[in-house]
Amino acid sequence: QVQLVESGGGLVQAGGSLRLSCAASGRTFSNYDMAWFRQAPGKEREFVAYIRSGGSTDYVDSVKGRFTISRDNAKSAVYLQMNMLKPEDTAVYYCAARLFASRDYGTYNYWGQGTQVTVSS
């Protein structure tokens, strides 16, 4: 089992920044690929970014150049630095873990409870 707890969400004005954190416990964190997804009201859960255990990353086009995913294996944590935020980034952001990263949320075994990000215009 892997337990995930997100933090760092909040209310920010358009153009601002937030840094989300996800603390992991349980199985060996460094073995897992980690991802961030988001879900806006009335919409399907959407891939945002993932980082593989080896450090390679992938992003959805809408956040490229604005968001950065990183991980600290010593702290068993993954981060999402979000800059130049837009109102359309408003959603609940979820951290997820899987042995082999995927953009498909249905393939992830472990999820956090989510953290709300609201971007005002």
Side-chain angles (χ1 to χ4, degrees):
Q1 290 284 346
V2 177
Q3 292 79 42
L4 303 171
V5 179
E6 302 97 334
S7 61
L11 173 64
V12 64
Q13 288 188 329
S17 299
L18 282 175
R19 187 191 194 214
L20 304 184
S21 299
C22 174
S25 60
R27 299 279 179 90
T28 304
F29 176 77
S30 59
N31 290 344
Y32 285 82
D33 294 347
M34 301 298 297
W36 288 96
F37 289 81
R38 64 187 180 187
Q39 189 165 19
K43 294 189 176 181
E44 192 171 346
R45 195 164 296 192
E46 172 190 38
F47 167 75
V48 177
Y50 68 60
I51 183 165
R52 296 190 185 278
S53 57
S56 61
T57 59
D58 187 28
Y59 299 87
V60 68
D61 285 348
S62 60
V63 309
K64 284 181 181 177
R66 301 188 298 122
F67 291 11
T68 303
I69 189 171
S70 60
R71 65 189 295 159
D72 185 337
N73 289 337
K75 295 183 178 180
S76 296
V78 63
Y79 308 99
L80 186 68
Q81 178 67 44
M82 306 185 294
N83 299 328
M84 295 182 288
L85 282 160
K86 303 175 181 180
E88 51 263 44
D89 295 317
T90 295
V92 177
Y93 283 70
Y94 297 90
C95 173
R98 190 172 185 260
L99 286 177
F100 301 103
S102 164
R103 288 186 168 212
D104 182 355
Y105 71 85
T107 64
Y108 280 77
N109 309 94
Y110 305 108
W111 291 90
Q113 82 289 349
T115 185
Q116 175 71 46
V117 171
T118 303
V119 184
S120 64
S121 58

